[in-house]
Amino acid sequence: FCDEYPYYSSFTSTLLEHSRENVLDLIRSRNLNSNSFVVELASNDGYLLKNYVQSGIPCLGIEPAEGPAQAAVNAGIPTECTFFNKDLALQLREQGRRADIIHANNVLAHVDDTNGFVEGIAILLKDNGVAVIEVPYVKDLIDFCEFDTIYHEHLCYFSVTAADKLFRRHSLFLNEVKRLPIHGGSLRLYAGLKEDVGESVLTQIASEKDQKIDHLSYYSDFAIKVGKIKDSLRSLLYGLKSEGKKIAAYGAAAKGSTLINYIDIGKEVIDFVVDRNIHKQNKYMPGKHIPIYSPEKILEEMPDYVLILPWNFTEEILQQQNEYRQRGGKFIIPIPEPKIV
């Protein structure tokens, strides 16, 4: 998470709308106003908190990556460029800045001190506040073979059972859970300092117990399934290449780096990658050094096929590239099994 950290959430329209709906729902349901205080941990470029700013609700972003943090400040979103931990939570609490809402979206998996991070949330939260935490759901990762979600930044993968135990260790209670389709399947966890466990949590934990998600057997054939995806995707891509087809890729995502390096395809198969994020353009995919351009490159070059690397945003990408499809271009979706659309 250095000064050149290239991930900026605001380049993904699906994520922006997803976040806005979450905020508006909380403003209504929690009766938030100008006397409230909201904190987001790993707030990136302010993609979520801007909705609170627009509603006149005081907020603070905590973001360790200098580039996104500065972008948030430039957009008028109060942001501290630092890592969140127990000590920072204590400082904010001593300043009287306890939070009505704490957001932590897709960050819990990145934290090397998971217990300290969650303890900090408990310290910073008001007695009647709520922590709203989103994580990729390990059940969906296994069931749909989302192996490319596994990479160095992700240290943990959560079930409801695991999250419940983690929170209780730090006097937080998982009171509500929602399953979300975003990122290939996620959980939105609502935790507070008062125990009021709802049916959504009890039902999900019971379901996980029935499916033995807390047993090794649930994960035992995952590697075999991943190997089959590798073989079928390599066969498809090399088959198309042998027919003289031109292939590009869309989205210089972290999961894309995992995928292309694991299945071992480089410039001999993929001519170029495109991405809307200007901070990734004119750079290269790690490991395989495939050049990254702006999405306009697709219409300029008109490859026969485009491999979608961030397949979790397939619908958004297909809409963006409607003209390419009308001209006869086709997309390849790699997960949960390779298919052409």
Side-chain angles (χ1 to χ4, degrees):
F1 302 103
C2 58
D3 58 345
E4 295 184 5
Y5 183 64
Y7 182 76
Y8 288 68
S9 300
S10 293
F11 285 100
T12 306
S13 301
T14 303
L15 185 60
L16 289 176
E17 184 57 29
H18 170 84
S19 304
R20 177 172 172 76
E21 290 176 358
N22 185 15
V23 169
L24 294 179
D25 176 65
L26 287 166
I27 291 174
R28 287 190 299 266
S29 63
R30 307 290 296 187
N31 297 314
L32 303 180
N33 54 43
S34 59
N35 296 315
S36 306
F37 183 49
V38 176
V39 176
E40 184 180 11
L41 314 179
S43 52
N44 201 259
D45 59 5
Y47 72 104
L48 181 145
L49 288 180
K50 69 178 182 180
N51 297 291
Y52 287 110
V53 171
Q54 291 167 2
S55 297
I57 297 170
C59 61
L60 173 67
I62 298 172
E63 170 56 51
E66 294 179 19
Q70 189 59 52
V73 171
N74 294 344
I77 300 157
T79 304
E80 290 191 18
C81 186
T82 187
F83 285 96
F84 177 76
N85 53 32
K86 178 182 174 182
D87 291 339
L88 180 57
L90 287 168
Q91 289 177 25
L92 291 169
R93 182 176 174 127
E94 288 170 3
Q95 296 167 8
R97 306 178 78 187
R98 295 176 72 188
D100 295 275
I101 305 285
I102 296 177
H103 286 280
N105 291 344
N106 300 296
V107 60
L108 201 56
H110 294 235
V111 178
D112 56 0
D113 181 15
T114 309
N115 287 294
F117 189 88
V118 175
E119 185 176 357
I121 291 175
I123 290 169
L124 186 57
L125 200 62
K126 286 183 180 178
D127 291 345
N128 61 345
V130 61
V132 184
I133 300 168
E134 292 187 18
V135 295
Y137 190 15
V138 71
K139 172 178 167 54
D140 292 322
L141 185 154
I142 298 300
D143 289 356
F144 300 108
C145 214
E146 298 166 357
F147 71 90
D148 52 348
T149 305
I150 300 171
Y151 47 87
H152 287 88
E153 289 180 23
H154 288 172
L155 306 178
C156 300
Y157 303 87
F158 290 93
S159 62
V160 178
T161 303
D164 180 64
K165 291 181 178 180
L166 172 63
F167 293 158
R168 285 177 179 272
R169 188 181 300 155
H170 302 285
S171 301
L172 281 169
F173 300 95
L174 178 57
N175 292 325
E176 184 183 358
V177 62
K178 294 180 181 178
R179 291 190 65 177
L180 308 170
I182 197 164
H183 299 310
S186 298
L187 298 171
R188 180 178 291 159
L189 308 165
Y190 297 80
L193 295 169
K194 298 177 181 178
E195 186 170 9
D196 185 21
V197 180
E199 191 64 31
S200 62
V201 176
L202 298 174
T203 300
Q204 203 65 37
I205 289 177
S207 174
E208 290 182 356
K209 185 176 182 179
D210 288 343
Q211 297 173 75
K212 296 187 176 181
I213 285 179
D214 57 346
H215 287 69
L216 183 61
S217 59
Y218 186 78
Y219 308 87
S220 60
D221 62 349
F222 181 65
I224 296 172
K225 293 178 181 177
V226 172
K228 289 180 179 178
I229 291 177
K230 175 180 180 177
D231 293 342
S232 59
L233 185 55
R234 278 180 58 87
S235 176
L236 172 62
L237 294 173
Y238 275 99
L240 293 172
K241 207 66 180 178
S242 68
E243 297 172 6
K245 303 299 184 183
K246 188 172 184 178
I247 305 172
Y250 191 108
K255 58 165 47 71
S257 295
T258 298
L259 187 139
I260 64 172
N261 282 282
Y262 170 66
I263 69 171
D264 194 22
I265 55 169
K267 289 181 284 188
E268 77 284 356
V269 175
I270 305 295
D271 295 316
F272 60 88
V273 178
V274 302
D275 198 292
R276 290 180 69 194
N277 186 341
I278 59 174
H279 304 280
K280 296 182 179 181
Q281 293 168 11
N282 300 315
K283 292 183 170 62
Y284 298 85
M285 292 297 289
K288 296 300 182 180
H289 306 288
I290 306 170
I292 304 167
Y293 302 105
S294 71
E296 286 74 20
K297 185 81 168 176
I298 291 180
L299 291 180
E300 292 172 5
E301 299 290 337
M302 279 304 299
D304 300 288
Y305 296 88
V306 175
L307 173 65
I308 297 181
L309 298 176
W311 46 262
N312 48 315
F313 295 120
T314 289
E315 291 305 315
E316 177 180 333
I317 293 167
L318 293 181
Q319 290 177 6
Q320 289 174 11
Q321 296 299 319
N322 189 48
E323 184 176 348
Y324 167 72
R325 299 182 78 192
Q326 288 181 342
R327 292 191 193 180
K330 297 183 182 299
F331 283 93
I332 301 170
I333 303 170
I335 306 292
E337 57 186 13
K339 67 176 180 179
I340 297 173
V341 296

